[in-house]
Structures are given as C-alpha cells and as structure tokens.
Amino acid sequence: STSLMPSPIPSNIPSSLPSLSQSPSMSPFISAEPSISAMPTTLNTVVTLELLTDMFPGDTSWLLIDNDKESVIVSSGPGDGETYDAGRLYSFTWTLDRCTSYTFTIYDVFGDGLSDPNPGYAEVKMDSRKIAETLGRIDGNFGSDSSISIFICDKDLTSSPSTSLMPSLNPSNIPSS
C-alpha cells in the first residue's frame, strides 16, 4: 500500500525520486560543473619589450632589474654575447610578478641613444584585456642610458572571470540559481 504519511521509522533505502532542499548545504560538494571566480587567478603578468635598433646596434645593451630583490632578471647586448642587426625590430617577452617593482634600463656606449641616423626606440608594454598598454617608451637620443619603471599591481588584471573544473577550497554557502 502507498501512504502519504511519513513513516515513524526512517529507511536507509534510497527512494527512486530525488529530493530537493531549499536551504544551502554547509558541506563541500564536488561538482562537474565549472566554478566561476571574479578574483584574479594569477600572481604574474606578461610584459613585452619592443626594441627598434638604430644604425649602430653594437652600441646598445639593456637589462631588467627586480628592484625588490635587487637582482638582474635578464640582460642583453654585446657583453652578453647578443648582437643586433641595424634598423631591425626585436620583441622580448617576460612574465613578471605582480605588485613587484622592476626597472628596464637601456644603454648606448657612444652616448647618442638610438638616434643615428634612423632613430629607434624601446617600448615596454603589457597586454591587458586584449589591448596593449604602453608602460613606457624611450625614443631617439636618450644619451648614454635611460630607464622605465615598471610596477603592475592592478587588482583588475583579469579580463574576465576564470573557469575551473576543480572544486573550490572555500566552498560558497550561497545557493546557485
């Protein structure tokens, strides 16, 4: 017989119909559905150096310093065995820690920068939300050296929420819709 009244003795046998609860569960639940987070998921960002050499590229060298650690991250030029071609555009990509201070410095042994006879430049950029944002640019005759300070600590570096198939370490107790 079928009864609509609850039994005074609970059963451990699952019913064939699923039950739904209106209140959120307070225990973690692993779901195959992706979770969406509006918090940045990375502690670093990608920065690019574009270097257009002048007609005397053997005079040019540069370095990137992590100011917090007081150490050279990367250096390039004749002293490092690097040679550049005249009037050519080079691109270097770095992955830098966010909220860390860096300095990019370019040097010219002759003291006329990237100016003779066709001027060059050094430009440091960050791709943010699919748009290249210039962090600093050094043009033409900068003398013997010139620097760009780099500090990226924007809380809004994540262009869109991230999706993860892994369960969250801090499950939400807000019910999903």
Side-chain angles (χ1 to χ4, degrees), residues 26-147:
M26 298 310 269
S27 61
F29 176 74
I30 298 175
S31 169
E33 295 296 317
S35 64
I36 298 176
S37 169
M39 296 299 293
T41 58
T42 181
L43 297 177
N44 48 39
T45 189
V46 176
V47 174
T48 303
L49 163 66
E50 280 188 2
L51 173 64
L52 177 62
T53 58
D54 63 3
M55 297 312 289
F56 298 96
D59 294 347
T60 305
S61 63
W62 57 265
L63 54 85
L64 179 67
I65 296 173
D66 179 332
N67 297 325
D68 294 349
K69 295 179 183 170
E70 298 180 1
S71 63
V72 175
I73 304 248
V74 64
S75 61
S76 182
D80 298 307
E82 297 287 334
T83 57
Y84 300 114
D85 294 327
R88 183 164 174 212
L89 181 64
Y90 293 88
S91 181
F92 305 90
T93 302
W94 310 308
T95 301
L96 304 179
D97 293 336
R98 289 181 53 215
C99 303
T100 301
S101 174
Y102 298 92
T103 301
F104 166 78
T105 303
I106 188 165
Y107 301 93
D108 185 81
V109 175
F110 192 73
D112 65 349
L114 297 169
S115 65
D116 193 23
N118 298 321
Y121 68 87
E123 184 173 48
V124 178
K125 300 185 221 178
M126 175 186 72
D127 288 334
S128 174
R129 299 177 188 219
K130 311 287 187 222
I131 299 169
E133 177 184 343
T134 299
L135 301 174
R137 183 177 169 111
I138 300 167
D139 286 306
N141 187 353
F142 56 79
S144 296
D145 62 83
S146 188
S147 297

Side-chain angles (χ1 to χ4, degrees), residues 21-30 171-176:
S21 171
Q22 295 297 327
S23 54
S25 169
M26 298 310 269
S27 61
F29 176 74
I30 298 175
S172 170
N173 53 5
I174 300 171
S176 60

